[in-house]
Amino acid sequence: MKPLPSPQALRLLQGLIRRPCLATRPRPCPPFLHLSKHFHAAARLDRTETHVLSDIGEGVKEVQIIQWFVEEGAPIEEWSPLCEVQSDKASVEITSKYSGVIKKIHFGQDAVVQVGDSMVDIEVEGEEGEGEVEDNAVQQQQQNSSDLADAEQLAEGGGEAVREEAELLEEKAAPGLRSEPSGKHASLATPAVRGLLKEHGLAIEDIPGTGKDGRVLKEDVHRYLEKGSGQPSPSPSSAPPAATRPEVDAKQTETPQKLTPVQAAMFKSMTASLNIPHFLYSDTADITNLALMRAKLNAARNPETAPKYTYLPFIIKAVSLALNKYPLLNARLDVTTDPKKPQLLMRPVHNIGIAMDTPNGLIVPVIKAVNARSITSISQEIQRLSQLGQAGKLGNNDLTGGTITVTNIGNIGGEVVAPVIVEGQLAIVGVGKVKTVPVFADDGLTVKPAQVANISWSADHRVVDGATMARMAQVVQKYLEEPSSMLVDMS
């Protein structure tokens, strides 16, 4: 079998067969007219650089790989995305430190990578030392001449023969030398798109992407679903047979399924939370006056400049005002510096996390410096975080630094919740569904409708006693029942 030409000769051959003159001339155009770019004044030196997982902050020691944006043999540019990883804090996109060709990927999808581990090997192009340039330049010139001769010899048989030979060689050549795209963008998609695919049980490879470099967009998924729904439904004869349904005496089976990155992060976080001794405090707040104020504000607002007010920004501001009176609930318990002498770390800034339901699962973005914000500012920040959360684009800074958490389970349903404290915090508040109930008026005789909601607290019983928690809860309840009193205490 005739030996394959060198990679350099292959590149020259590919340049030859793509020139228009091959369609009309029996011999290729002179190679020196269009291949001079392959000559270098200095010799090229291909070396391999290893991209390691750097420290991404916030004490993160390991991450789980959600998806790779590259594959072995594909070219990569500096600062281009390599992969997306999920820590117990946030989803982060890792970018390349080098430009070159991916030689080896050390970890697969869903693998857990420690900080400092090698992630990928990248073959990069560099220059040799000055002492070796002259000798190697001569060798390179001789090699280039040989490569040109090989390319011209392969081109002797005419355009079609060269084309067939080139196709055969490209199939056998290393993937990194192929001039056609290697398809590394075929599986690119945002977490929101992947959540949509998972919801409908679709494979991303089956959907044509119309985004940049073939990226699959939400519109592509919806278009694919509409096309599928327009097809005629299968006839009854093609429906799954009744035998596929379990029999009454069928044996139970269990199919392993890996946790999603968000579920894995929640598993770790909640497992750590089990070390905190919880206690629950719950009460019902009459928020009729708040409901009336909210309705007036929404009716008078300019939709183009002001966000729509929900109950949540008022609740968050009420919690922040109450923390001014009970700063203990904003502190952190330090048991690692000296386990024999635990201490409280007091924190003056109120960074309040909000539990949020997203296509990727439960996440807790953080509204920073609530004690320096107005209710309108809080509402705008909730809107920003919600939009990023639905799109799967929340950054590490959006998901870290919380000092206390609010979870509004009432948006989905349920009146009472026993929330679990987030590690590094001392308390969490859960708000139930707002409902209308009959209550007695001040005269004790007449009955009137009222808007009420259950508010439940969980606190760390190692440093927070029941009385302190109850007093804190009463202050928050007062602010919600008489929202005008918040104006007096706002600084």
Side-chain angles (χ1 to χ4, degrees):
M1 179 182 293
K2 184 179 178 180
L4 293 176
S6 65
Q8 290 83 357
L10 177 61
R11 292 194 187 99
L12 299 179
L13 174 62
Q14 291 171 343
L16 289 170
I17 66 174
R18 287 188 174 87
R19 295 205 47 92
C21 59
L22 281 177
T24 58
R25 297 185 182 181
R27 295 178 60 86
C29 296
F32 59 86
L33 292 179
H34 57 278
L35 296 175
S36 59
K37 64 179 181 180
H38 289 282
F39 292 97
H40 299 268
R44 295 169 55 196
L45 172 65
D46 290 336
R47 68 181 189 276
T48 300
E49 297 285 354
T50 300
H51 185 118
V52 300
L53 178 64
S54 304
D55 186 2
I56 59 178
E58 290 291 336
V60 174
K61 299 299 181 184
E62 63 180 24
V63 297
Q64 184 177 14
I65 297 176
I66 299 177
Q67 61 176 330
W68 282 101
F69 297 140
V70 297
E71 60 185 19
E72 292 182 359
I76 183 71
E77 296 292 335
E78 186 179 6
W79 303 115
S80 294
L82 279 175
C83 63
E84 183 181 11
V85 300
Q86 174 75 48
S87 70
D88 58 351
K89 303 290 186 182
S91 173
V92 180
E93 193 174 83
I94 304 295
T95 57
S96 176
K97 302 176 183 177
Y98 312 100
S99 295
V101 176
I102 303 295
K103 301 303 293 182
K104 182 179 180 181
I105 296 178
H106 292 271
F107 295 92
Q109 186 173 325
D110 297 330
V112 176
V113 184
Q114 305 289 329
V115 171
D117 284 351
S118 300
M119 299 189 70
V120 294
D121 292 339
I122 303 176
E123 186 179 77
V124 301
E125 194 177 280
E127 299 293 341
E128 291 184 322
E130 293 181 1
E132 301 177 358
V133 169
E134 184 176 352
D135 292 340
N136 286 322
V138 175
Q139 297 177 6
Q140 184 67 29
Q141 184 176 1
Q142 294 174 350
Q143 182 63 43
N144 287 337
S145 299
S146 176
D147 293 337
L148 281 171
D150 290 344
E152 289 183 345
Q153 184 178 359
L154 286 171
E156 289 288 343
E160 188 63 30
V162 170
R163 209 174 296 276
E164 293 177 359
E165 181 77 8
E167 291 176 358
L168 177 62
L169 293 175
E170 286 197 52
E171 292 178 1
K172 297 179 179 179
L177 300 176
R178 295 176 185 172
S179 60
E180 296 298 326
S182 57
K184 71 186 183 73
H185 298 291
S187 61
L188 284 183
T190 64
V193 172
R194 291 188 176 274
L196 188 61
L197 294 171
K198 185 176 180 181
E199 178 184 350
H200 294 280
L202 301 175
I204 192 171
E205 294 80 7
D206 297 336
I207 301 176
T210 60
K212 182 180 180 181
D213 298 323
R215 189 185 297 262
V216 176
L217 308 176
K218 272 189 174 181
E219 294 79 4
D220 300 326
V221 180
H222 291 306
R223 192 179 301 111
Y224 183 87
L225 290 172
E226 291 174 0
K227 182 179 178 181
S229 62
Q231 296 176 352
S233 58
S235 60
S237 59
S238 63
T244 59
R245 298 179 181 177
E247 301 292 341
V248 175
D249 57 349
K251 294 183 178 181
Q252 182 63 277
T253 60
E254 296 179 344
T255 304
Q257 180 175 321
K258 293 182 179 180
L259 297 178
T260 66
V262 173
Q263 288 173 332
M266 184 163 48
F267 171 83
K268 292 174 58 179
S269 177
M270 292 298 100
T271 300
S273 295
L274 290 178
N275 295 323
I276 303 173
H278 290 54
F279 78 89
L280 178 67
Y281 175 87
S282 182
D283 202 351
T284 301
D286 184 342
I287 60 171
T288 304
N289 292 334
L290 176 59
L292 294 173
M293 174 184 286
R294 171 177 165 267
K296 290 180 180 179
L297 290 173
N298 283 331
R301 74 184 179 93
N302 184 346
E304 297 181 357
T305 58
K308 183 178 180 180
Y309 295 99
T310 65
Y311 290 110
L312 189 56
F314 295 94
I315 296 170
I316 291 173
K317 190 61 180 181
V319 170
S320 177
L321 292 173
L323 288 175
N324 291 331
K325 300 179 180 180
Y326 296 95
L328 169 65
L329 277 300
N330 199 58
R332 180 171 72 86
L333 180 61
D334 179 17
V335 296
T336 57
T337 303
D338 187 352
K340 295 182 179 179
K341 295 181 179 180
Q343 59 181 345
L344 285 169
L345 302 179
M346 308 304 292
R347 301 183 286 197
V349 181
H350 304 163
N351 295 338
I352 299 182
I354 51 173
M356 185 178 294
D357 182 41
T358 71
N360 298 312
L362 177 67
I363 56 175
V364 186
V366 179
I367 302 176
K368 304 294 177 65
V370 173
N371 42 339
R373 293 178 181 268
S374 65
I375 292 177
T376 298
S377 175
I378 296 170
S379 183
Q380 291 171 336
E381 184 67 359
I382 292 173
Q383 187 178 60
R384 183 187 74 85
L385 293 172
S386 177
Q387 291 173 349
L388 292 176
Q390 294 301 316
K393 296 181 179 179
L394 285 167
N396 192 55
N397 185 60
D398 295 322
L399 294 162
T400 55
T403 56
I404 190 171
T405 299
V406 175
T407 172
N408 186 14
I409 194 65
N411 280 340
I412 301 175
E415 299 178 10
V416 181
V417 60
V420 179
I421 303 171
V422 178
E423 185 185 18
Q425 302 180 16
L426 296 183
I428 182 173
V429 56
V431 182
K433 179 174 62 176
V434 177
K435 60 179 183 178
T436 304
V437 298
V439 298
F440 283 105
D442 294 336
D443 59 11
L445 299 176
T446 59
V447 176
K448 63 177 183 179
Q451 302 271 13
V452 300
N454 183 274
I455 302 177
S456 304
W457 297 80
S458 290
D460 187 339
H461 216 341
R462 292 175 296 182
V463 291
V464 181
D465 57 71
T468 301
M469 185 73 264
R471 293 188 182 99
M472 166 82 175
Q474 289 299 314
V475 173
V476 173
Q477 183 172 332
K478 172 191 171 185
Y479 284 135
L480 297 180
E481 291 183 341
E482 295 295 337
S484 58
S485 63
M486 284 194 280
L487 300 176
V488 179
D489 293 338
M490 284 185 186
S491 56

